[in-house]
Amino acid sequence: MDSITDDLEGKVAIVTGAGSRPGEGVGNGRAAAILFARAGARVVLADANAEWAEETQRMIAAEDGESLVVQADVTRPEDCRKIVRAAVEAYGRLDILLNNVGVSGPPGTAEEVDLEAWSHGLLVNVTSMMLMAKYAVPEMRRAGGGAIVNIGSVAGLRGGHPGLLYPTSKGAVVNMTRAMAVHHAKDRIRVNCICPGMVYTPMVQAKGMTPEMREARRKRSILQVEGSGWDVGAAVVFLASGKARWMTGAIVPVDAGATAIAALSSGAG
């Protein structure tokens, strides 16, 4: 029987959106990057904000981990190519890609949403993931396989969001993940998606969330426990590791049971 292990020691991982704005806690990308490094991976920290990525690098170095910062805009093909090239030039291979960059996007229904902002939101939330995979997949193939983890959202699994762009784009990430899993299985590249629920991160904090709003978010789940970037990061590292070797095309909610409540209230099952 084959042994099942973490299998991350010495692997090379790219994390997009690896920085985290100042504030309480850490973002999903920073948490995942730190946890990858703790597991023995070498991490390429890609972010449009070099200062934020450098802080992640400092935190990794404080634990004797190894990482590299690449300032890049993942909506630009040439920057996506640059990120992958930097990983291969520095470490000789590429094993893991975390597509983590995303924005809330413009507000509004189909009647109200600004068209230019809509197009930009899709570029950031969907096209950037395709672009990173475009350049990462060939290097993973050369390495004998790999793992891609895309960050979606529970908003992409159900309706009820006040804006149209965010759930639309995150729903696209869900089905892009399934399609990519089929396309790249022959090369032993696994592709999975994590759909976080209402985790509390510096990005959420920056939106001006009051303590009352934060408490209401906590209660909208079965576990009644607030999630953080560390919860999402832990799920990312699991899906990228050898322990998830038989998982591909999976859509994994990390939401303290919020989607289970939605299923029950709708009478599903």
Side-chain angles (χ1 to χ4, degrees), residues 1 23 28 39 69 120 201 252:
M1 178 178 177
N28 299 335
V69 171
H120 182 71
T201 65
V252 183

Side-chain angles (χ1 to χ4, degrees), residues 242-266:
K243 289 183 177 178
R245 66 176 192 165
W246 217 49
M247 294 179 68
T248 195
I251 312 302
V252 183
V254 178
D255 64 352
T259 47
I261 290 177
L264 289 170
S265 64
S266 67

Side-chain angles (χ1 to χ4, degrees), residues 40-173:
R42 294 165 290 177
V43 191
V44 177
L45 309 170
D47 204 292
N49 188 312
E51 185 177 335
W52 294 354
E54 286 163 1
E55 176 61 15
T56 303
Q57 184 180 45
R58 186 196 65 75
M59 296 169 76
I60 289 172
E63 298 181 2
D64 297 321
E66 188 173 356
S67 65
L68 168 72
V69 171
V70 181
Q71 184 173 16
D73 176 354
V74 291
T75 68
R76 298 165 57 88
E78 59 271 28
D79 279 20
C80 295
R81 186 187 294 113
K82 178 177 74 172
I83 295 167
V84 173
R85 185 187 304 122
V88 175
E89 288 179 353
Y91 302 124
R93 61 185 293 137
L94 177 61
D95 304 284
I96 299 160
L97 167 64
L98 169 59
N99 275 319
N100 172 66
V101 171
V103 295
S104 298
T109 65
E111 289 182 285
E112 301 157 349
V113 68
D114 176 79
L115 182 57
E116 185 175 344
W118 167 271
S119 296
H120 182 71
L122 290 176
L123 179 64
V124 175
N125 287 3
V126 184
T127 305
S128 71
M129 296 191 181
M130 176 276 291
L131 288 172
M132 283 303 305
K134 176 183 287 293
Y135 300 109
V137 164
E139 294 300 336
M140 291 182 179
R141 184 185 299 120
R142 277 189 271 275
I148 298 173
V149 181
N150 297 323
I151 298 296
S153 169
V154 295
L157 301 176
R158 63 188 191 188
H161 196 277
L164 185 62
L165 182 282
Y166 190 71
T168 300
S169 61
K170 291 302 184 178
V173 170

